[in-house]
């Protein structure tokens, strides 16, 4: 079977193997330093060029400029040169004893697979055991290509790591902490490069963006994705701070856009969302070019909310199986505040998280949405463990919300609560600020309370003041989805 970039199979193979490789590195005695940061390089902005490499104005690049090796009809250089004629260099700081995953965002001239690869070298790189590797001034390099496998093809900007095919590339280590130099040589001419990433954490297991037709712009300071990364990216916002003192978070499993009357109608869903006037919206079972409507629902919801509210909305979309550039069902996070950081993550047993950070009243707030396995409690427990561990990478104040497919008293939800989270509905019910329809006193979101929102116990700046399960029935008892929305309003101080 040939694995193609963007296919579910290709993504699953990579995302299953990468955590094993990282675990082996840790088991071998190499762990990430607490001081290690995401490293995001923009060669179009600050690289030193030698020879034919040039900087070209490009509005789709992160700094408005890409770095390019013009198409010169040269043959492929299978081995790096110790003293190349054409290359570019950049410096950055890194930590010794830390495993970094290497990624780049590149574009091939004429979308040709014969113009999509580079050689990468470093001044002070070593293997996990400490042996010199990929050193500048030698012919040793780690090769990177945009195309992910034989026959996969390339299209526009695309992210890939330093491996060709369904496995993973070598992790990058450094012999000492401090300033390092990266040198890039063309393996094939005609290639352009926008961003290079060395990730100790966020992108250890999955790419920062899509392998084809990517629009992801990373924040050079945090490694996070600016608003819309992976589906509607934009340039970095001038400001990401709200002067308001409240935050309203809405969650809804949309049942693919089909109501209890069996009718597909996502406009009525968008109208209900707009009616609640939320700041951040978590949506599950959102479809992208599937048999459910055969349209790009993530983009459509963003557009409809903008039309219905008169505000700009920002989004991050996580395809359910972690195949970020593929069509299918997934989780969508929308915000009327620009995201200062976004991320996507593949949980065990192929479920995903979409995450975004906003600043409200000067406070950083991190919101993650997920949809856990519907059939297996053991799968959900493993996913809850993954979620909790990964969420620790992000700052307080933290909110996790989604269709958990489990009761609040289940083993998996008890695990979430025992790792530093509080159940918003349970607290509101006990505190007298829970609201639901008279015939739904227990706040059921479907046949029971499986849609839940949890606030971290370390969230000192946000306090829920109202928790509501919204009654969306019309005069005939029809609901736009077979789930009811959950809306939580926070005071932000």
């Amino acid at each position: 079977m040939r694995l193609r970039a963007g296919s579910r199979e290709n993504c699953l193979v990579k995302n299953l193997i990468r955590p094993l490789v990282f675990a082996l590195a840790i088991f071998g005695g190499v762990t990430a330093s607490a001081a290690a940061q995401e490293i995001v390089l923009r060669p179009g902005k600050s690289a030193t060029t030698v020879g034919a490499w040039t900087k070209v104005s490009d509005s789709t690049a992160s700094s408005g400029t890409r770095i390019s090796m013009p198409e010169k009809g040269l043959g492929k250089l299978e081995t790096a040169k110790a003293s190349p004629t054409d290359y570019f260099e950049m410096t950055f700081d890194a930590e010794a004893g830390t495993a970094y995953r290497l990624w780049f965002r590149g574009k091939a001239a004429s979308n040709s697979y014969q113009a999509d690869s580079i050689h990468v070298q470093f001044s002070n790189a070593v293997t996990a055991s400490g042996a010199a590797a990929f050193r500048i001034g030698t012919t040793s390099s780690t090769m990177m290509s945009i195309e992910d496998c034989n026959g996969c093809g390339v299209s526009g900007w695309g992210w890939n790591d330093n491996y060709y095919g369904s496995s993973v590339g070598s992790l990058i280590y450094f012999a000492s902490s401090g300033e390092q130099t990266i040198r890039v040589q063309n393996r094939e001419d005609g290639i352009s490069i926008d961003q290079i990433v060395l990730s100790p954490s966020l992108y250890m297991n999955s790419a920062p963006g899509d392998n084809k037709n990517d629009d992801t712009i990373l924040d050079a300071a945090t490694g996070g994705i600016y608003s819309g990364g992976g589906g509607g990216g934009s340039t970095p916002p001038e400001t990401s701070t709200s002067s308001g003192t409240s935050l309203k978070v809405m969650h809804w499993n949309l049942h693919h856009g089909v109501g209890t009357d069996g009718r597909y109608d996502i406009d009525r869903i968008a109208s209900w969302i707009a009616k609640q006037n939320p700041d951040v919206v978590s949506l599950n079972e959102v479809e992208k070019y599937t048999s459910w409507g055969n349209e790009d629902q993530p983009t459509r919801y963003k557009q409809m909310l903008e039309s219905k509210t008169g505000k700009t909305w920002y989004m991050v979309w996580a395809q359910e199986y972690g195949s970020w550039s593929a069509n299918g069902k997934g989780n969508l996070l929308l915000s009327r505040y620009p995201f200062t950081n976004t991320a996507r993550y593949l949980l065990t047993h192929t479920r995903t998280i979409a995450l975004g950070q906003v600043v409200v009243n000067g406070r950083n707030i991190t919101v993650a949405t997920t949809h856990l396995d519907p059939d297996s409690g053991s799968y959900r427990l493993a996913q809850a463990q993954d979620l909790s561990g990964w969420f620790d990478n992000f700052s307080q104040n933290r909110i996790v919300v989604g269709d958990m497919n489990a009761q609040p008293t289940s083993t998996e939800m008890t695990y979430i609560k025992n790792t530093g989270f509080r159940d918003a509905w349970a607290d509101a019910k006990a505190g007298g600020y829970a609201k639901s329809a008279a015939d739904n006193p227990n706040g059921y979101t479907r046949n029971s309370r499986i849609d839940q929102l949890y606030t971290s116990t370390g969230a000192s700046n946000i306090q829920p003041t109202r928790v509501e399960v919204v009654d969306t029935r019309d005069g005939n008892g029809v609901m736009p989805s077979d789930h009811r929305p959950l809306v939580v309003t926070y005071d932000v101080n």
Side-chain angles (χ1 to χ4, degrees), residues 71-147:
E71 179 65 60
K72 301 172 64 178
L74 302 175
K76 182 185 296 183
L77 300 175
E78 294 289 0
T79 303
K81 294 183 176 181
S83 300
T85 303
D86 305 309
Y87 64 91
F88 68 83
E89 288 186 344
M90 303 181 72
T91 58
F92 59 95
D93 288 335
E95 296 292 323
T98 293
Y100 291 91
R101 175 73 64 204
L102 179 63
W103 300 95
F104 85 125
R105 183 185 191 234
K107 179 164 59 176
S110 303
N111 286 326
S112 171
Y113 70 91
Q114 295 179 317
D116 77 329
S117 64
I118 55 176
H119 291 290
V120 180
Q121 298 174 309
F122 299 91
S123 58
N124 201 24
V126 294
T127 65
S129 61
F134 315 138
R135 290 291 182 92
I136 292 171
T138 73
T139 59
S140 171
S141 71
T142 184
M143 188 275 286
M144 306 186 77
S145 69
I146 305 169
E147 189 182 45

Side-chain angles (χ1 to χ4, degrees), residues 422-443:
R422 296 189 62 86
D423 182 344
W425 172 266
D427 284 351
K429 191 72 172 176
Y433 54 93
K435 179 178 173 58
S436 188
D439 60 350
N440 185 26
N442 295 316

